[in-house]
Every structure is written in structure tokens, then in C-alpha cells.
Amino acid sequence: MTLLSNFVIKTLKIAGFLYFSLPVYANELCETFYKEPNVTTQIKYGNVVVKSVPREEISDLKNLKNPKATLGLTKSNFGIKYDFGFGRYKINDGICAILSNINFTIGYKNIDVLIDDKYEEGSCEYNAIKEHELGHVAIYRKELKYYGSLILKELRRIASDVGPMFFDEKISEKKLGNEIQKMVFENRNIKILRSKLEKALIENNNTYDSKEEYQRVKNLCKAW
């Protein structure tokens, strides 16, 4: 079985820009300072963590097709993380802020494989469940490779479109981070791609959990 967890959005840090925040109207004077930002990207395919857990820890999870019959489960969170740096330039009316660099990391921190602790590690049943769940892991990674590349392409485009911003001198860096986060996570194309990734994961994992696959796994051991 597989469980698709909610999408996770996190901001790592803000580097090189202090005491300034939400942009007001762009100032034409700021245009002279513009340089295209350095954008770096990375996909994390997730560390596979196999755990033996009490049956209740599996069956109590939401969105399971058949909680009573679920002996193993694979789950993970998709995340978009970033850190960035800004250059700042003093002008008469305030500050011009220029995005100098931004790094995006997307993907999974971990892919957790949960196995009913009724089955001893190394037993036929344990190995059969684990083998099946690793098939779900492969699906998570395959879909991330495809949609992750599209998401990163869009993130690079968004970052390149962030022009010079004008600020007064009485605003905080936290709101600047909020503004950048809004540019990224409220972007329509990013939302569409994330939705397509989620849909692909649900559909492909459900297809994998077929009656034929269930019977194949059941036939691997005699003592279920």
C-alpha cells in the first residue's frame, strides 16, 4: 500500500539581506542595478527508511483503501525548499533590492516504508512485504524525476523574472521572505505541476496495488 502525504512547503533561510521586506512600487532608479540572479536547483529522491511498527500505526492512517488488510505502507512528503541572497543599494528615497542568488531543492527528505511488526525482520513475510513496498518507492522516484524536472524549470523562470524591488528603510526581512514565497508557491504553473505529480502518484500506486500483485505477494510465503 502507499499513502500520499500532504505537500510540504518550507523556507530554509534568507542570506545576505537584513532589515528590509515587502516591496512597494518599483522605482525606475532600481533598474540600473539589475543583474540576472544565479539560480541553482537540486532534486532529492529521498532516503528509504524501513521501519517495523505496530499494526495500529499503519491502520490508523487516513486514506487507506483497506486498513485491516494493510500489512505494509509507503509514505513521503513532497517539499520545495529554498534559500536566497539579495544585494542592496541605497538611493535617496530608500533601498533597491536585487535578487542575487537563489537555490531550490525539491523532492522527498525520506521515503518511509512501514511494515507490520507482527512479521519478524528477515522472515519470508517481512521480505515479501518489503519487496512490494520498494515497488512503491520506485514509483515515487520515477514520477518525481519527471515532474520534478518540470517544476525546477518553472522555478528557474520565476527566479529570473524577479526584477529590482524598492523598499523603504523600516521593514523586516521576514516579510521579504514571505513575498518571495508568495511569488513561488502562488504561481499557477507550480500549482498545476504539483497537482499533476500528486495525481500521477495516486493513480500509479493504486494501479500497482492490483489483485494480481496482491496474489503474487501472497504466493511468496506459505505461513501468512
Side-chain angles (χ1 to χ4, degrees):
M1 291 293 294
T2 185
L3 179 68
L4 181 66
S5 301
N6 292 330
F7 285 111
V8 173
I9 299 170
K10 294 182 180 178
T11 304
L12 289 182
K13 62 181 179 180
I14 301 171
F17 187 82
L18 300 175
Y19 307 119
F20 307 102
S21 177
L22 278 175
V24 294
Y25 299 105
N27 189 310
E28 289 184 2
L29 294 175
C30 292
E31 295 294 334
T32 61
F33 300 113
Y34 177 73
K35 293 181 180 179
E36 187 170 343
N38 179 40
V39 183
T40 57
T41 59
Q42 184 179 17
I43 296 179
K44 291 280 190 181
Y45 289 96
N47 301 313
V48 178
V49 180
V50 181
K51 305 176 184 178
S52 291
V53 299
R55 179 65 174 272
E56 295 75 19
E57 189 170 328
I58 297 174
S59 59
D60 287 349
L61 290 168
K62 297 179 181 179
N63 301 323
L64 294 181
K65 282 184 177 180
N66 191 350
K68 293 183 179 180
T70 302
L71 306 179
L73 183 139
T74 299
K75 65 175 185 174
S76 189
N77 287 330
F78 173 82
I80 300 177
K81 301 180 182 181
Y82 65 93
D83 60 83
F84 59 87
F86 266 79
R88 51 181 176 171
Y89 303 88
K90 176 71 177 175
I91 60 175
N92 290 335
D93 297 326
I95 297 291
C96 292
I98 311 298
L99 180 64
S100 58
N101 62 81
I102 188 164
N103 175 64
F104 291 106
T105 301
I106 71 170
Y108 318 120
K109 179 179 180 181
N110 292 321
I111 301 179
D112 294 320
V113 173
L114 309 182
I115 299 177
D116 188 341
D117 64 4
K118 171 184 176 180
Y119 303 104
E120 183 178 354
E121 184 174 352
S123 66
C124 179
E125 295 83 1
Y126 177 96
N127 290 337
I129 296 169
K130 180 180 176 180
E131 182 215 13
H132 170 77
E133 295 305 322
L134 290 179
H136 286 298
V137 171
I139 291 171
Y140 271 92
R141 288 176 166 174
K142 178 182 178 182
E143 296 306 324
L144 175 62
K145 182 177 181 180
Y146 178 75
Y147 285 102
S149 296
L150 297 177
I151 290 171
L152 288 179
K153 181 178 179 180
E154 184 63 21
L155 289 173
R156 285 190 290 267
R157 185 196 65 77
I158 293 171
S160 296
D161 286 346
V162 177
M165 293 177 283
F166 174 79
F167 296 83
D168 66 30
E169 296 184 85
K170 297 180 181 180
I171 38 186
S172 69
E173 69 171 30
K174 181 178 179 180
K175 289 184 179 180
L176 172 62
N178 291 339
E179 185 68 16
I180 296 296
Q181 183 160 312
K182 184 170 67 175
M183 290 179 188
V184 173
F185 299 115
E186 293 186 9
N187 178 272
R188 181 175 180 271
N189 291 338
I190 296 295
K191 287 182 177 181
I192 290 173
L193 289 170
R194 286 173 51 199
S195 178
K196 287 184 176 181
L197 170 60
E198 179 178 9
K199 182 179 179 182
L201 288 172
I202 292 172
E203 290 180 349
N204 290 328
N205 279 309
N206 284 342
T207 298
Y208 177 60
D209 282 328
S210 64
K211 291 181 179 180
E212 293 77 13
E213 174 63 10
Y214 173 80
Q215 190 61 48
R216 183 192 71 81
V217 174
K218 185 178 179 181
N219 290 341
L220 293 175
C221 305
K222 296 180 179 180
W224 289 101

